[in-house]
Amino acid sequence: MRRRLIVGNWKMHKTASEAAAFVHRLAELAPAVGATGSTERVEVVLAPPFTALHAAAQAAAPSFPFTLAAQNLFWEEHGAFTGEVSAPMLKDLGCQAVILGHSERRQLFGDRDEGINKKIRAALRHGLRPILCVGESLADREAGLTESVVTGQLAKCLDSLSADDLLKLTIAYEPVWAIGTGRAATVAQAAAVHETLRTVLATGWKREAGQQVRILYGGSVTPENAGAFLASPQIDGALIGGACLDPHSFATILALAQALPA
Ligand code: PGA
C-alpha cells in the first residue's frame, strides 16, 4: 500500500513570520481534527516560498512532523545565476523534497521539460525527493490530447532516470484548467489519467518501481471534494494550492486523509 501524501503548495504566499504562525496553528488544529500520528498513514508536505522555508522548519513541533519542500530549484550547484537557488542550498535549509514543473512555472517562467529533467536530476543528486507536476491545458483536453500531452511530459522530464531514481519520485497530475479555477477534474477523469501515467511508469522503468511511485491529483482540491479524490484507489494523495493557505481547511483535508482506510 502506498502511503497517502498531502502537499500544501503555498505558492507566493506568507512571509517568514506568517509561515511560523501558520505551522504553529496547524500543529494545534491537526490533532483536534484527527491527524495525530498522521505520519504513519499520511505524509504531510509543506512547500513555503524560499524566504519562509527556514521559519517553517524552525516552527515544526514534534507532535506534528512534516516534510519540508521547496517550490523550485535551479540545476547548477552554484555560480553566476542571479536570482536562482540550488539543490544543496535547499538541502542545507532542511528541505527534503522539491516541487518541479508546476504549470505556473511552465506558463509564466518558461520552464520546459528538458530543463525540468535537469532539475529533477539535480534534486536527486542532492537527496531531495522531486514532486513532478504534469498536466494538460483545456485546449489539449478538448482536442483529445490529454494522454499524449501528459505521457510526453512524463517521458521527457524523466529521461535517463533509473528505476531506483524513480522510487524517490512523486508525480502530481494537475490539469492546467483545474488549477485555481474552482473547477476540479472529476474523480473519474483524474483516475483515468493516473492509470495511464502508472502504466507508462511500470512499462518504461520497472514494474515494482512503477507500482510504488505515488501519483497525486492537484487542481481545486477543497475540504468538500478531497474525500472523494482520496478514496479513489488510483489517487495516492493531493497537491493543494488555495485550500492549503487556511490552517482550518488544510487540517480538515489532513483529517479526511487520515480517516480513510489504509
Ligand atoms: P489550487 O492549486 O489547489 O489552488 O487549484 C493547485 C496547485 O497549483 O498546485
PDB file of all heavy atoms in Angstrom, residues 136-146 183:
ATOM      1  N   GLU A 136      -2.410  18.723 -18.665  1.00  0.00           N
ATOM      2  CA  GLU A 136      -2.770  19.256 -19.982  1.00  0.00           C
ATOM      3  C   GLU A 136      -3.551  20.566 -19.842  1.00  0.00           C
ATOM      4  O   GLU A 136      -4.184  20.809 -18.828  1.00  0.00           O
ATOM      5  CB  GLU A 136      -3.604  18.208 -20.748  1.00  0.00           C
ATOM      6  CG  GLU A 136      -5.098  18.153 -20.422  1.00  0.00           C
ATOM      7  CD  GLU A 136      -5.417  17.540 -19.060  1.00  0.00           C
ATOM      8  OE1 GLU A 136      -4.497  17.188 -18.312  1.00  0.00           O
ATOM      9  OE2 GLU A 136      -6.625  17.430 -18.726  1.00  0.00           O
ATOM     10  N   SER A 137      -3.526  21.376 -20.889  1.00  0.00           N
ATOM     11  CA  SER A 137      -4.333  22.608 -20.926  1.00  0.00           C
ATOM     12  C   SER A 137      -5.766  22.232 -21.334  1.00  0.00           C
ATOM     13  O   SER A 137      -6.027  21.106 -21.774  1.00  0.00           O
ATOM     14  CB  SER A 137      -3.747  23.582 -21.941  1.00  0.00           C
ATOM     15  OG  SER A 137      -3.915  23.046 -23.245  1.00  0.00           O
ATOM     16  N   LEU A 138      -6.651  23.214 -21.230  1.00  0.00           N
ATOM     17  CA  LEU A 138      -8.038  22.959 -21.648  1.00  0.00           C
ATOM     18  C   LEU A 138      -8.086  22.649 -23.146  1.00  0.00           C
ATOM     19  O   LEU A 138      -8.794  21.740 -23.587  1.00  0.00           O
ATOM     20  CB  LEU A 138      -8.903  24.181 -21.311  1.00  0.00           C
ATOM     21  CG  LEU A 138     -10.395  23.995 -21.515  1.00  0.00           C
ATOM     22  CD1 LEU A 138     -10.936  22.831 -20.687  1.00  0.00           C
ATOM     23  CD2 LEU A 138     -11.145  25.278 -21.163  1.00  0.00           C
ATOM     24  N   ALA A 139      -7.292  23.397 -23.927  1.00  0.00           N
ATOM     25  CA  ALA A 139      -7.279  23.162 -25.381  1.00  0.00           C
ATOM     26  C   ALA A 139      -6.801  21.744 -25.685  1.00  0.00           C
ATOM     27  O   ALA A 139      -7.361  21.055 -26.551  1.00  0.00           O
ATOM     28  CB  ALA A 139      -6.374  24.183 -26.059  1.00  0.00           C
ATOM     29  N   ASP A 140      -5.778  21.277 -24.950  1.00  0.00           N
ATOM     30  CA  ASP A 140      -5.292  19.898 -25.139  1.00  0.00           C
ATOM     31  C   ASP A 140      -6.419  18.906 -24.860  1.00  0.00           C
ATOM     32  O   ASP A 140      -6.640  17.963 -25.619  1.00  0.00           O
ATOM     33  CB  ASP A 140      -4.149  19.571 -24.162  1.00  0.00           C
ATOM     34  CG  ASP A 140      -2.890  20.383 -24.406  1.00  0.00           C
ATOM     35  OD1 ASP A 140      -2.673  20.796 -25.553  1.00  0.00           O
ATOM     36  OD2 ASP A 140      -2.145  20.589 -23.431  1.00  0.00           O
ATOM     37  N   ARG A 141      -7.120  19.125 -23.742  1.00  0.00           N
ATOM     38  CA  ARG A 141      -8.174  18.177 -23.362  1.00  0.00           C
ATOM     39  C   ARG A 141      -9.272  18.173 -24.412  1.00  0.00           C
ATOM     40  O   ARG A 141      -9.726  17.122 -24.852  1.00  0.00           O
ATOM     41  CB  ARG A 141      -8.740  18.511 -21.973  1.00  0.00           C
ATOM     42  CG  ARG A 141      -9.910  17.602 -21.573  1.00  0.00           C
ATOM     43  CD  ARG A 141     -10.175  17.579 -20.090  1.00  0.00           C
ATOM     44  NE  ARG A 141      -9.226  16.765 -19.353  1.00  0.00           N
ATOM     45  CZ  ARG A 141      -9.400  15.475 -19.048  1.00  0.00           C
ATOM     46  NH1 ARG A 141     -10.487  14.830 -19.440  1.00  0.00           N
ATOM     47  NH2 ARG A 141      -8.492  14.824 -18.365  1.00  0.00           N
ATOM     48  N   GLU A 142      -9.673  19.371 -24.833  1.00  0.00           N
ATOM     49  CA  GLU A 142     -10.773  19.445 -25.803  1.00  0.00           C
ATOM     50  C   GLU A 142     -10.378  18.851 -27.152  1.00  0.00           C
ATOM     51  O   GLU A 142     -11.226  18.381 -27.899  1.00  0.00           O
ATOM     52  CB  GLU A 142     -11.237  20.902 -25.946  1.00  0.00           C
ATOM     53  CG  GLU A 142     -12.027  21.302 -24.705  1.00  0.00           C
ATOM     54  CD  GLU A 142     -12.443  22.772 -24.654  1.00  0.00           C
ATOM     55  OE1 GLU A 142     -11.958  23.566 -25.495  1.00  0.00           O
ATOM     56  OE2 GLU A 142     -13.229  23.112 -23.769  1.00  0.00           O
ATOM     57  N   ALA A 143      -9.078  18.846 -27.426  1.00  0.00           N
ATOM     58  CA  ALA A 143      -8.611  18.250 -28.687  1.00  0.00           C
ATOM     59  C   ALA A 143      -8.324  16.751 -28.531  1.00  0.00           C
ATOM     60  O   ALA A 143      -7.806  16.121 -29.454  1.00  0.00           O
ATOM     61  CB  ALA A 143      -7.360  18.982 -29.153  1.00  0.00           C
ATOM     62  N   GLY A 144      -8.632  16.206 -27.360  1.00  0.00           N
ATOM     63  CA  GLY A 144      -8.409  14.770 -27.135  1.00  0.00           C
ATOM     64  C   GLY A 144      -6.935  14.417 -26.956  1.00  0.00           C
ATOM     65  O   GLY A 144      -6.524  13.277 -27.196  1.00  0.00           O
ATOM     66  N   LEU A 145      -6.140  15.401 -26.516  1.00  0.00           N
ATOM     67  CA  LEU A 145      -4.692  15.175 -26.443  1.00  0.00           C
ATOM     68  C   LEU A 145      -4.177  14.920 -25.025  1.00  0.00           C
ATOM     69  O   LEU A 145      -2.961  14.867 -24.808  1.00  0.00           O
ATOM     70  CB  LEU A 145      -3.955  16.397 -27.016  1.00  0.00           C
ATOM     71  CG  LEU A 145      -4.201  16.684 -28.493  1.00  0.00           C
ATOM     72  CD1 LEU A 145      -3.546  18.004 -28.902  1.00  0.00           C
ATOM     73  CD2 LEU A 145      -3.658  15.536 -29.346  1.00  0.00           C
ATOM     74  N   THR A 146      -5.101  14.787 -24.068  1.00  0.00           N
ATOM     75  CA  THR A 146      -4.672  14.684 -22.668  1.00  0.00           C
ATOM     76  C   THR A 146      -3.599  13.616 -22.474  1.00  0.00           C
ATOM     77  O   THR A 146      -2.535  13.870 -21.915  1.00  0.00           O
ATOM     78  CB  THR A 146      -5.886  14.384 -21.767  1.00  0.00           C
ATOM     79  OG1 THR A 146      -6.806  15.458 -21.907  1.00  0.00           O
ATOM     80  CG2 THR A 146      -5.490  14.248 -20.309  1.00  0.00           C
ATOM     81  N   ARG A 183     -12.726  24.700 -10.631  1.00  0.00           N
ATOM     82  CA  ARG A 183     -13.305  23.658 -11.493  1.00  0.00           C
ATOM     83  C   ARG A 183     -12.382  22.437 -11.456  1.00  0.00           C
ATOM     84  O   ARG A 183     -11.519  22.262 -12.318  1.00  0.00           O
ATOM     85  CB  ARG A 183     -13.408  24.218 -12.922  1.00  0.00           C
ATOM     86  CG  ARG A 183     -14.037  23.269 -13.884  1.00  0.00           C
ATOM     87  CD  ARG A 183     -13.996  23.850 -15.300  1.00  0.00           C
ATOM     88  NE  ARG A 183     -14.216  22.769 -16.245  1.00  0.00           N
ATOM     89  CZ  ARG A 183     -13.961  22.838 -17.526  1.00  0.00           C
ATOM     90  NH1 ARG A 183     -13.459  23.932 -18.043  1.00  0.00           N
ATOM     91  NH2 ARG A 183     -14.192  21.811 -18.303  1.00  0.00           N
TER      92      ARG A 183
END
